[in-house]
């Protein structure tokens, strides 16, 4: 067996300015690294999309076209990173919506990263009304559905009982619910007090959940003394599973 002559490799030939050894590049001086000690392999823009998905309840193609394009281009890699955290990515191409779900399994011990954040009773009532209007308008062939704050209040307030506080406090609860749904992109204010209902409403409230809530509302209307709060919050919690948002 022939040994390697390391001395020949260590000593440069006469007139050769090439160093005998190449010094390793420090991570912080690596042009591909984004910060000192960076071991990530994703480009900066793709990392931002990944963080956006983790931070927010959903990503909309309409409001974030550049991020949506990057998501589709690097979907497999982003899904892989989320799966490492026991989180599933759902991409609805038809509606242009992407969101995440907490993976739950009876076979595997899954640490829960995402916290549940169910909608309040007032928010659930507003969602039911918005979903009903959206379904009615789109079924009739309308390209979009719109509502006014006053008509939302007028309908939703009929489901409040006297024990739910004063009329002023009930109105504040409805306005607060509308503001949250506006922030989340479920509705979009086009002019003061006038909102367009986006297709995200179909994801937040599926047809099955809508039917359950409508049955509950019918029962509550028939019996004003029926214990509605717990039922509403239980059904509404079903909408939280697909929108588990901020890390716990």
């Amino acid at each position: 067996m022939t040994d390697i002559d390391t001395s020949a490799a260590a000593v440069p030939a006469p007139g050769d300015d090439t160093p005998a050894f190449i010094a390793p590049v420090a991570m912080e001086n690596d042009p591909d690294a984004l910060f000192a000690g960076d071991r990530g392999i994703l480009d900066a823009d793709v990392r931002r999309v990944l963080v956006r998905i983790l931070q927010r309840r959903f990503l909309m193609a309409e409001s974030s076209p550049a991020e949506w394009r990057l998501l589709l281009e690097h979907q497999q890699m982003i899904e892989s990173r989320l799966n490492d955290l026991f989180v599933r990515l759902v991409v609805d191409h038809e509606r242009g919506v992407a969101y995440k779900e907490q993976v739950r399994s009876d076979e595997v011990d899954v640490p829960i990263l995402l916290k549940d954040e169910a909608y309040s009773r007032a928010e659930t009532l507003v969602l039911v009304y918005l979903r009903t209007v959206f379904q009615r308008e789109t079924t009739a062939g309308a390209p979009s559905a719109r509502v006014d704050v006053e008509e939302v209040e007028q309908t939703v307030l009929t489901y409040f009982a006297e024990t739910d506080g004063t009329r002023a406090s009930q109105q504040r609860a409805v306005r607060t619910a509308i503001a949250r749904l506006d922030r989340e992109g479920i509705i979009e204010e086009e002019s003061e007090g006038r909102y367009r209902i986006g297709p995200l409403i179909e994801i937040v409230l599926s047809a099955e959940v809508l039917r359950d809530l409508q049955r509950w509302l019918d029962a509550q209307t028939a019996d004003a003394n029926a214990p509605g709060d717990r039922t509403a919050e239980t059904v509404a919690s079903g909408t939280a599973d697909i929108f588990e948002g901020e890390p716990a």
Side-chain angles (χ1 to χ4, degrees):
M1 182 176 69
T2 304
D3 293 331
I4 297 175
D5 186 359
T6 57
S7 61
V11 179
D16 186 0
D17 296 329
T18 303
F21 299 98
I22 299 176
V25 178
M27 180 62 70
E28 54 269 28
N29 296 326
D30 188 342
D32 294 328
L34 300 180
F35 51 86
D38 181 15
R39 299 294 182 90
I41 62 173
L42 299 180
D43 292 339
D45 289 341
V46 181
R47 297 189 198 193
R48 294 187 185 96
V49 173
L50 175 60
V51 172
R52 171 72 181 272
I53 292 173
L54 285 170
Q55 285 180 327
R56 306 293 180 85
R57 287 178 177 267
F58 53 84
L59 180 67
M60 297 283 291
E62 183 179 1
S63 58
S64 304
E67 292 177 324
W68 179 261
R69 184 174 61 255
L70 282 169
L71 171 64
L72 298 185
E73 291 175 356
H74 302 274
Q75 181 175 338
Q76 184 174 357
M77 183 64 72
I78 292 174
E79 283 181 329
S80 175
R81 292 295 178 269
L82 291 172
N83 291 166
D84 286 340
L85 302 175
F86 296 102
V87 174
R88 182 182 296 109
L89 176 68
V90 180
V91 180
D92 189 324
H93 295 272
E94 180 180 355
R95 297 183 179 89
V97 179
Y99 56 90
K100 58 191 178 297
E101 293 178 333
Q102 175 68 60
V103 172
R104 301 179 188 275
S105 173
D106 294 331
E107 292 81 23
V108 180
D109 181 17
V110 177
I112 302 303
L113 174 67
L114 306 178
K115 64 182 179 181
D116 290 335
E117 190 178 350
Y119 289 105
S120 68
R121 182 168 179 263
E123 290 164 350
T124 302
L125 292 171
V126 173
L127 281 168
V128 170
Y129 180 71
L130 295 175
R131 180 69 165 87
T132 303
V133 173
F134 184 87
Q135 180 172 288
R136 183 187 67 219
E137 296 298 317
T138 54
T139 301
S144 57
R146 290 170 173 78
V147 292
D148 294 315
V149 170
E150 290 76 13
E151 66 178 279
V152 176
E153 283 186 349
Q154 184 178 2
T155 302
V156 172
L157 289 176
T158 61
Y159 295 105
F160 281 88
E162 293 181 359
T163 55
D164 292 327
T166 65
R167 180 62 62 173
S169 65
Q170 294 170 9
Q171 288 177 324
R172 283 196 299 272
V174 174
R175 295 291 179 113
T176 300
I178 292 173
R180 175 184 175 182
L181 301 181
D182 184 21
R183 290 194 303 272
E184 293 185 350
I186 296 172
I187 54 178
E188 179 185 0
E189 188 171 22
E190 294 183 327
S191 59
E192 187 174 358
R194 180 82 170 164
Y195 294 87
R196 181 176 68 87
I197 308 172
L200 186 61
I201 189 69
E202 292 184 299
I203 296 176
V204 175
L205 280 188
S206 65
E208 180 181 359
V209 173
L210 179 63
R211 285 193 296 268
D212 290 341
L213 284 168
Q214 287 175 329
R215 282 195 292 266
W216 164 75
L217 289 173
D218 292 339
Q220 187 186 45
T221 303
D223 183 1
N225 296 320
D229 283 16
R230 175 177 295 182
T231 306
E233 290 173 1
T234 299
V235 178
S237 67
T239 67
D241 290 341
I242 63 168
F243 277 138
E244 288 173 304
E246 299 75 13

